[in-house]
Amino acid sequence: MVVLVNQAGLNAAFIFLLFGSAILHLASGSTTRLFKWSVQHQYWSPDCVENVVITINGQFPGPTIRARAGDTIVVELTNQLETEGVVIHWHGIRQFGTPWADGTASISQCAINPGETFIYRFKVPKAGTYFYHGHYGMQRSAGLYGSLIVDVAKGEKEPFQYDGEFNLLLSDWWHKASEEQEVALSSKPFRWIGEPQTLLINGRGQYNCSLAAKFNKSSDVPTCQFSGNEQCAPQTLHVQPNKTYRLRLASTTALASLNFAIGNHKIKVVEADGNYVQPFVVDEMDIYSGESYSILFKTDQDPSQNYWISLSVRGRLPKTPEARTILNYSPSSPSNLPNSPPPVAPIWNDYNHSKTFSNKILSQIGSPKPPPSFDRRIILLNTQNHIDGYIKWSINNVSLLLPTTPYLGSIKFGLKGAFDHKKPPQTYPIDYNVMMPAPNTNATYGNGIYMLDFNSTVDVILQNANALAVNVSEIHPWHLHGHDFWVLAYGDGKFTKEDEKKFNLKNPPLRNTAVIFPYGWTALRFVANNPGVWAFHCHIEPHLHMGMGVVFAEGVHLIGKVPNDAFSCGLTGKILNHKG
């Protein structure tokens, strides 16, 4: 048994058994929710092919955390991986006052070594659909993720009504181990890991078979059979006729951008990344890695039939089969496959279709508006480069190589030699042609950070460009830790000052993840009002592994005492050991 004392220092102890959880109700009405987690490797069959995954308490995906706005989450995490460290990032949770709990190795904390335990303690201030995932190496590719759902505080109501709720966590899956993928991406010559074998819905997919085989006359792929293999059997969504359901969607894919649809049903988007949006109705929707949504749908179809829920690849030539599960109307049997064919996915490279969807997302009336002007503008050029013969991704010609000492600790303790204190580039050469491969493809490694004035308004222009190959520019979903930002505009080609006229300052959506389209740009604005050191990076796992990210720091001097066990490695570890 373990005894934990809550963060407020109350004179109470909370005892809970191994792998269990406990709940403490405070006098203010908020709750402290306690979890004891063990992270380990385990054999699993996510797509009916046995492989090794990273589990939490023997579960894949990991346990769903459910809390209310204002609650405190406490996770006592023990690393039982045999040979590698681990951290957990709580995606979309801003970590006000607890920047060391953000879960980014070498940025907010040291990796938790095998056999060690670290306690994450943080508040969830705002209702919404979130998730968590590993942020060390490529452990997200190995299955280290789960859902984190925050309901409205007691006595409050959502701005929409529904009769029932479902939660779908979307991911992709390789048969090649994440460690092998890391080696391939860091090899000379470069070895691309290939497209994922399978798309997963709540950790379940089907490799080399199809639920809807009868509708694909040109294929000899057999119909899936699940006898004795429940780990990959699709989870059916059971509904009653003439009801309205809320469906929470979150994408923790390592590579794939996705399109989601429910056959014969319209879907209404009402939440994005934990922020309410002006509701709008579509037939299907795109969702990029790092994004989360809530959608509403009405069960207004023939109740004697079942319907397909379908997931397909966007932005890359689809070499991964679509994922499917079934929407089961009562009283129809859940074993009855739908009679109608699955939804037809948009053409994978129809970016105008994708841009149309992204531009429909606007903040709910009454949401905070962005400041009318900025104090600082940083333009980040995304390029693919060579460094000593290795292929890397770079930002303004610098490929991020994280230090051994976490930035948060080294800045807090005033260390000078822990990272490069030279300011990273604010922009890129004005004559750079984003539509063509760079004439000089060489870049450099770096670990400098952008120091932001506290409470300043920062504009970030994400500028996409041609990769190393001719006529190749990829989708990049960028995620900012510690903040939400306003998405002011998307544009094509090279951003210029004239493009500021396109900025939406009236009702831009608040997000924590935003996409830049091929050969395009995306303009973001945020207020640097959260003391800490925060990652900002492409959420595609191979791209981050290859250097596609930057680091922001703000107001670190305002942070009070930090837990020593967050900084027990590198130079901070030596300081703390000396003091001890």
Side-chain angles (χ1 to χ4, degrees):
M1 294 189 294
V2 179
V3 179
L4 294 182
V5 180
N6 76 320
Q7 188 175 13
L10 297 176
N11 294 321
F14 315 101
I15 302 175
F16 56 99
L17 296 174
L18 187 65
F19 303 150
S21 64
I23 298 176
L24 166 71
H25 294 276
L26 302 178
S28 64
S30 62
T31 298
T32 295
R33 301 179 185 271
L34 311 176
F35 303 89
K36 190 178 181 71
W37 283 3
S38 174
V39 177
Q40 63 189 48
H41 287 113
Q42 191 169 337
Y43 282 110
W44 207 271
S45 301
D47 61 354
C48 304
V49 177
E50 189 177 69
N51 218 310
V52 173
V53 305
I54 298 180
T55 63
I56 298 175
N57 292 357
Q59 298 181 44
F60 169 75
T64 295
I65 290 179
R66 190 130 200 173
R68 288 190 178 274
D71 287 353
T72 296
I73 304 295
V74 180
V75 177
E76 181 182 322
L77 188 144
T78 299
N79 179 9
Q80 291 190 342
L81 302 178
E82 295 79 5
T83 58
E84 57 188 298
V86 71
V87 295
I88 299 286
H89 169 55
W90 314 95
H91 189 107
I93 305 302
R94 296 191 60 182
Q95 301 293 348
F96 277 114
T98 53
W100 51 84
D102 188 49
T104 46
S106 296
I107 298 175
S108 64
Q109 70 170 108
C110 299
I112 307 163
N113 290 324
E116 293 183 347
T117 297
F118 181 81
I119 297 177
Y120 289 100
R121 189 188 307 266
F122 56 91
K123 284 193 173 184
V124 287
K126 187 173 60 173
T129 304
Y130 308 101
F131 60 99
Y132 61 85
H133 60 81
H135 217 293
Y136 180 76
M138 291 180 63
Q139 291 176 345
R140 182 156 49 94
S141 294
L144 184 52
Y145 45 73
S147 293
L148 198 171
I149 296 173
V150 183
D151 294 306
V152 294
K154 287 185 177 180
E156 297 185 7
K157 293 183 177 180
E158 302 274 15
F160 41 82
Q161 294 182 331
Y162 51 95
D163 302 300
E165 178 181 316
F166 301 100
N167 177 51
L168 297 183
L169 192 62
L170 314 176
S171 54
D172 44 13
W173 183 249
W174 281 259
H175 293 165
K176 185 180 295 183
S178 61
E179 294 86 353
E180 187 177 352
Q181 293 182 44
E182 292 177 16
V183 173
L185 294 169
S186 303
S187 293
K188 185 170 63 173
F190 178 74
R191 299 187 184 188
W192 175 234
I193 61 175
E195 303 302 306
Q197 274 65 62
T198 318
L199 300 179
L200 306 180
I201 300 175
N202 283 349
R204 296 165 179 243
Q206 296 79 47
Y207 176 70
N208 209 24
C209 69
S210 172
L211 293 176
K214 68 177 182 179
F215 294 103
N216 191 352
K217 305 301 182 183
S218 63
S219 174
D220 58 358
V221 175
T223 300
C224 298
Q225 305 293 327
F226 302 107
S227 177
N229 201 343
E230 289 299 313
Q231 291 180 343
C232 61
Q235 291 181 338
T236 301
L237 275 59
H238 304 284
V239 297
Q240 298 291 326
N242 302 311
K243 302 289 186 181
T244 297
Y245 289 89
R246 179 182 191 170
L247 180 56
R248 297 178 184 266
L249 299 172
S251 175
T252 183
T253 55
L255 177 65
S257 301
L258 302 172
N259 182 267
F260 176 87
I262 305 176
N264 291 41
H265 292 71
K266 299 282 187 180
I267 54 179
K268 179 187 288 187
V269 181
V270 294
E271 176 217 342
D273 292 355
N275 296 285
Y276 299 125
V277 300
Q278 294 183 28
F280 63 96
V281 177
V282 290
D283 294 320
E284 35 72 26
M285 60 179 288
D286 289 344
I287 179 168
Y288 302 97
S289 179
E291 292 187 329
S292 61
Y293 290 94
S294 281
I295 60 176
L296 303 179
F297 67 93
K298 294 181 179 180
T299 51
D300 53 6
Q301 299 301 301
D302 182 354
S304 68
Q305 301 293 319
N306 291 329
Y307 300 89
W308 293 109
I309 295 174
S310 188
L311 200 62
S312 57
V313 171
R314 300 285 290 140
R316 306 180 71 86
L317 181 64
K319 298 179 181 178
T320 307
E322 296 182 0
R324 297 191 180 100
T325 189
I326 294 172
L327 184 70
N328 166 233
Y329 271 68
S330 176
S332 177
S333 170
S335 63
N336 293 337
L337 293 179
N339 290 325
S340 55
V344 177
I347 299 173
W348 70 272
N349 58 355
D350 184 353
Y351 297 117
N352 287 331
H353 183 90
S354 299
K355 293 171 188 176
T356 297
F357 173 77
S358 294
N359 282 312
K360 288 179 182 289
I361 304 172
L362 302 170
S363 64
Q364 183 190 48
I365 295 173
S367 299
K369 293 184 178 181
S373 59
F374 62 90
D375 299 308
R376 182 177 179 182
R377 173 169 288 168
I378 301 171
I379 302 178
L380 302 178
L381 176 69
N382 296 237
T383 57
Q384 199 176 46
N385 298 85
H386 289 115
I387 301 180
D388 299 328
Y390 296 94
I391 293 180
K392 299 292 178 182
W393 286 99
S394 300
I395 305 301
N396 293 347
N397 223 43
V398 178
S399 185
L400 181 63
L401 188 64
L402 293 172
T404 56
T405 302
Y407 290 109
L408 182 61
S410 58
I411 296 174
K412 177 68 177 174
F413 296 135
L415 304 180
K416 299 299 182 183
F419 64 92
D420 185 359
H421 286 259
K422 181 182 176 181
K423 295 180 179 179
Q426 290 274 116
T427 186
Y428 63 95
I430 193 171
D431 60 348
Y432 189 96
N433 185 352
V434 300
M435 307 302 292
M436 298 292 293
N440 180 0
T441 64
N442 292 321
T444 60
Y445 293 114
N447 59 24
I449 61 178
Y450 292 88
M451 302 295 294
L452 309 177
D453 291 337
F454 190 64
N455 274 333
S456 63
T457 298
V458 181
D459 273 14
V460 174
I461 310 298
L462 293 167
Q463 176 66 65
N464 214 341
N466 201 102
L468 286 171
V470 178
N471 296 325
V472 174
S473 185
E474 298 188 20
I475 281 176
H476 301 292
W478 275 72
H479 171 58
L480 178 59
H481 294 228
H483 304 78
D484 284 346
F485 48 67
W486 290 276
V487 183
L488 301 184
Y490 302 94
D492 297 322
K494 189 174 181 177
F495 178 83
T496 68
K497 190 169 179 58
E498 283 295 304
D499 287 317
E500 291 182 17
K501 298 175 182 178
K502 303 175 184 176
F503 285 5
N504 174 13
L505 300 179
K506 179 183 177 182
N507 55 3
L510 267 173
R511 306 294 302 267
N512 61 57
T513 304
V515 63
I516 44 172
F517 294 103
Y519 299 109
W521 54 265
T522 299
L524 314 175
R525 180 169 293 177
F526 70 96
V527 178
N529 59 2
N530 190 4
V533 183
W534 310 106
F536 183 42
H537 60 88
C538 179
H539 209 259
I540 292 175
E541 194 86 314
H543 293 183
L544 175 59
H545 181 74
M546 295 165 65
M548 197 174 195
V550 298
V551 179
F552 296 141
E554 66 211 49
V556 177
H557 63 287
L558 300 174
I559 300 172
K561 181 173 171 41
V562 299
N564 287 350
D565 56 351
F567 306 112
S568 57
C569 60
L571 296 178
T572 50
K574 293 179 180 179
I575 290 176
L576 294 172
N577 287 334
H578 179 72
K579 288 182 178 180

